[in-house]
Amino acid sequence: MAKGYFGAAALALCCALPPAPAVAQEAAPIAATASRGPVTNLPLPRYVSLKSSEGNARRGPSLSHRIDWVFRHNGMPLRVTAEYGNWRRVEDREGAGGWVHYALLSGVRTVIITPDAADLHARPDVTATVLARAEAGAQARLGACLPDWCRVAAPGAQGWVPKSAIWGVDADELRE
């Protein structure tokens, strides 16, 4: 089978304003009791993805708070760290983020390739046939995860990658 190659997705994070000081970000209610969100009762932290091609990350959980970041990539994986009403405190792989309205988020799991390049294998084994190679920053949909490997799919390519090569899944997370 011919090897495929897919390039880095245009993960453009635009900084609308300078990042808020930590004190200002902590002023909004951030609550996680027993690692569960107070609104959804889902685990915190957890991963989601951006549902639209643009999402404003605000300094606090309401429309009256100023926009600190604008996420500009549909399907971008984000980590939810807090909940307040209809708002979720999210961060990207570099730690940038803010409060995003829940309607802009999806439960569809995606990941980002983190090393310069990662091989997609036919099986979760380093000796397995390499089906494709993904560049750093490439985005893929997350499938099953074993202790050290995850199955990912991107346009024109799918296969198994080591967990250490992706952002958007916890090291101890297992998925069927």
Side-chain angles (χ1 to χ4, degrees), residues 144-162:
C145 285
L146 303 174
D148 297 321
W149 291 82
C150 287
R151 185 162 177 76
V152 298
Q158 64 180 0
W160 291 87
V161 295

Side-chain angles (χ1 to χ4, degrees), residues 42-105:
L42 293 172
L44 286 179
R46 69 178 177 276
Y47 292 93
V48 295
S49 59
L50 188 62
K51 191 186 287 187
S52 64
S53 60
E54 186 173 291
N56 294 334
R58 297 180 177 274
R59 184 158 294 189
S62 77
L63 292 174
S64 63
H65 287 88
R66 74 183 213 187
I67 298 167
D68 283 334
W69 291 94
V70 178
F71 295 114
R72 295 190 185 274
H73 192 64
N74 188 4
M76 176 183 199
L78 297 167
R79 187 174 191 213
V80 177
T81 58
E83 302 176 342
Y84 183 77
N86 291 331
W87 296 85
R88 307 295 176 259
R89 172 82 173 101
V90 298
E91 58 187 32
D92 65 8
R93 70 180 174 140
E94 296 170 350
W99 291 91
V100 175
H101 195 272
Y102 82 99
L104 297 174
L105 303 175

